[in-house]
Amino acid sequence: MFDTLSDRLNNVFDRLRGRGALGEQDVRDAMREVRIALLEADVALPVARDFIARVTERAVGQEVLKSVTPGQQVIKIVNDELIAMLGGEEEGAGEASPINLDVKPPAVVMMVGLQGSGKTTSTAKIAKLLKEKQGKKPLMASLDVNRPAAQEQLAILGEQAGVATLPIVQGQQPVDIAKRAMESARLQNVDVLLLDTAGRLHVDEALMAEMKAVAGVSSPAEVLLVVDSLTGQDAVNVAQSFTNEVPLTGVVLTRMDGDARGGAALSMRAVTGKPIKFAGTGEKLDAIERFHPARVADRILGMGDVVSLVEKAAESIKAEEAEELANRMMKGKFDLNDLRKQLQQMQNMGGLGMLAGMMPGMKKAKQAMAGAEMDDKVLVHMDAVISSMTKKERANPALLNAKRKKRVAAGSGRSVQEVNKILKMHQEMGRAMKQIRKMGGMKGLAAMFGAGGGGAMGGAPSGAPGLPGGGMPGLPGGEIPPEMQDFLKKK
C-alpha cells in the first residue's frame, strides 16, 4: 500500500544522506518534497500541513544542523513524527493499541461502518484472533437484517473460524437480536461478544439511530469503525461522520494489502482522534494483524519490519521442523523435499513480496523482483515442478536425466528450463551450506558476524545490507565467500 510514498520519501532521504552538512534551506527544500509526497499519497491536507510544520521545527534546530550525520537526524525526526501521526505517542513507543476487554464478561465489541467495508469478515477475523492468540471464548451475532444473507454469511465464517455464532431467528430486529445475544453470552459464559451491525451505502439518520439503539442495550466496551482503506479520503470523511455520532473507541482498516496510496491510514488517527487497532491484510480469516504505528512507520521509510517478520516466522514455522532442517543442511542432506518445505513456509509467511518488504534495506531488491516479474506465482510454479517428481527423484535429484526432466516439465505445466533452474538452485544452496560448514557451521558464521566491530547491520550502506555490493558487515574485509556471492547474486 505504501510503496509509492515509500519510494518518494527514500529518494528525498537518499539526497540528504549524501550531504556532509545541511543548511536551513536544504531542510526546507526537502520538507517541501516530503509534503508533496504526502499529498500525492492522499493524506488529508491539514494532517500533511501539521506534520511538515512539526518536522521542520525540529529539523532546523541545532540537533540537525550541528549534527555529525545531519541526513540521518532528519530521517529520525521524520520517523518519530510519522509514528506520532499514526498514534504512537499514546500507545507507548509505537506499540499496538490494546483492545479493551478488562470489563465484566461478556465484553461487547460492536462493529460499525458502511456497507461493503468488510465488517462481517473483520468480525470473524477478530473473533478468531481473540480465540487463538488471547485464549478468549468469543460469540458472534449478526444484527444486519437489511443485506440479503448477511446473517448466513457470518454463520459460515463462524464455522470456518471455529467460533460460535448466535442462531438466526427470522424477522427479529437488531435491538432484539442484541438483547438475545447478551442473554445467550451470559448463559454460555462467553468472554467476548462481537456484534456485527448493519451498514448503509452512505451515512444517514436511520443508520445512526440504529447504532445508538444497539449501543444503548449492549453497553459496548469497544466500538470499532471498519473502513476500507482503498476508498482513500472518503474513508476519512466516513470516519469523521461516525466520530460525531457514535462513541468510537478504535478503527479497523481493511484491504491494507491493496494498491491504495495509503492516505487513509496516515490521516485516520489525526482526523478521528481514535487509534487504529487492527489492519486487514488479505482475504483469509487469519489475514489480520494488530496495528503497530512504529512498525508501519518503519515500513514506509524502508527500514523494514523485522519484528513482524520474526512473529510471522514463529507462527508459520514449527521449531522442531526448523531444527531438523538445519541439521540436515549442515550434514549435506538437503534434498528437494527440504527445498519444497522452505518454499511452502515462504508462502505461508506471505510470499516473496511480503518478506522483501519486511527486510531492512530490501527495497531495491523488491523493485528488482517486480521488474523481473518475480511475484508469488514463482513459488507456486516451483512447488508444482517439485510435486511432479517422484519420491526417489526428490530425495536424489541426480536421477533426473533429460527424459525425466521432460516428464516433470509436462506434469507441472512448466518448461524444462524452469526444471533446470530449480535443480541449479538446489545445487547452489548445497554448495553454500558446504561453505558455511567450512566456516565452522552456524556458530562460526555467527562469530564472524560479531567480529569486525560492524555489528549486525552497522556500517551497511543504503541498498540491501549484507548483499554483494554492500558487503557483509562483520566478515573479514566485508566480503562474502565467492561461492555464496554467486548464489546470492543469482537470487
Side-chain angles (χ1 to χ4, degrees), residues 302 355-367 369 463-465 467:
L355 296 179
M358 288 185 173
M359 291 294 288
M362 288 294 285
K363 190 72 181 176
K364 293 179 181 178
K366 189 176 179 181
Q367 292 171 348
M369 285 166 52
L467 293 181

Side-chain angles (χ1 to χ4, degrees), residues 28 39 42 117 126 188 216 241-242 248 252 263 280 305 313 335 339 347 365-366 383 397 414 439-440 442:
R28 293 191 182 278
L39 294 177
D42 211 14
S117 59
I126 293 174
Q188 297 179 47
S241 300
F242 272 90
L248 297 179
V252 179
D305 185 1
D335 58 24
L339 178 59
Q347 285 180 282
K366 189 176 179 181
D383 185 65
R414 310 310 299 170
M439 297 178 186
M442 289 298 182

Side-chain angles (χ1 to χ4, degrees), residues 67 324 328 345 469 480:
S67 171
E324 181 184 352
R328 285 177 58 81
Q345 287 171 355
I480 304 175

Side-chain angles (χ1 to χ4, degrees), residues 146-388:
N146 300 320
R147 183 166 61 89
Q151 293 177 306
E152 288 79 1
Q153 180 190 359
L154 187 66
I156 293 172
L157 290 172
E159 290 180 9
Q160 295 173 353
V163 175
T165 54
L166 187 73
I168 300 171
V169 176
Q170 297 296 334
Q172 199 168 32
Q173 293 306 300
V175 173
D176 296 325
I177 297 174
K179 291 178 180 177
R180 181 162 61 90
M182 292 289 293
E183 186 62 28
S184 179
R186 291 190 187 99
L187 292 174
Q188 297 179 47
N189 293 321
V190 167
D191 297 318
V192 186
L193 172 62
L194 294 101
L195 300 178
D196 176 27
T197 64
R200 299 284 193 281
L201 294 178
H202 57 87
V203 178
D204 58 17
E205 292 183 7
L207 172 63
M208 291 306 168
E210 184 177 301
M211 299 294 102
K212 292 175 182 177
V214 171
V217 299
S218 61
S219 301
E222 289 275 2
V223 181
L224 300 180
L225 173 65
V226 182
V227 291
D228 185 346
S229 55
L230 292 183
T231 56
Q233 279 302 300
D234 192 47
V236 178
N237 298 331
V238 169
Q240 184 67 66
S241 300
F242 272 90
T243 302
N244 295 334
E245 299 288 342
V246 183
L248 297 179
T249 59
V251 177
V252 179
L253 279 178
T254 61
R255 303 189 194 180
M256 283 282 284
D257 58 324
D259 57 358
R261 290 176 288 180
L266 294 171
S267 306
M268 196 65 67
R269 177 64 176 83
V271 171
T272 65
K274 305 301 178 184
I276 302 172
K277 299 204 171 186
F278 296 97
T281 56
E283 296 180 2
K284 296 182 179 179
L285 288 178
D286 56 358
I288 190 168
E289 59 186 38
R290 305 294 296 274
F291 189 88
H292 294 78
R295 300 186 192 180
V296 174
D298 285 348
R299 291 186 203 179
I300 293 173
L301 297 180
M303 299 177 186
D305 185 1
V306 177
V307 177
S308 293
L309 182 60
V310 171
E311 289 177 354
K312 281 183 176 289
E315 293 172 5
S316 306
I317 303 172
K318 295 180 180 178
E320 300 81 10
E321 291 181 0
E323 187 175 353
E324 181 184 352
L325 179 59
N327 290 334
R328 285 177 58 81
M329 292 175 78
M330 287 299 99
K331 293 177 182 177
K333 296 181 179 179
F334 182 74
D335 58 24
L336 288 172
N337 287 313
D338 299 318
L339 178 59
R340 186 184 184 190
K341 286 181 182 178
Q342 287 195 320
L343 297 174
Q344 290 171 343
Q345 287 171 355
M346 290 175 68
Q347 285 180 282
N348 293 337
M349 290 173 65
L352 291 173
M354 176 74 74
L355 296 179
M358 288 185 173
M359 291 294 288
M362 288 294 285
K363 190 72 181 176
K364 293 179 181 178
K366 189 176 179 181
Q367 292 171 348
M369 285 166 52
E373 297 183 354
M374 281 185 65
D375 53 21
D376 295 337
K377 289 182 180 179
V378 172
L379 299 178
V380 177
H381 295 163
M382 293 171 71
D383 185 65
V385 170
I386 298 175
S387 298
S388 296

Side-chain angles (χ1 to χ4, degrees), residues 384-385 388 403-416 419:
V385 170
S388 296
K403 187 176 180 180
R404 288 175 182 250
K405 288 177 184 177
K406 286 183 180 179
R407 189 204 77 243
V408 170
S412 60
R414 310 310 299 170
S415 65
V416 175
V419 177

Side-chain angles (χ1 to χ4, degrees), residues 13-25:
F13 296 150
D14 283 345
R15 291 196 293 272
L16 289 178
R17 288 190 189 100
R19 305 288 293 274
L22 290 180
E24 182 175 333
Q25 191 58 44

Side-chain angles (χ1 to χ4, degrees), residues 122-136:
S122 296
T123 300
K125 287 179 177 181
I126 293 174
K128 187 173 188 288
L129 184 145
L130 292 174
K131 178 183 178 182
E132 296 180 353
K133 301 291 178 64
Q134 298 189 24
K136 301 294 184 181

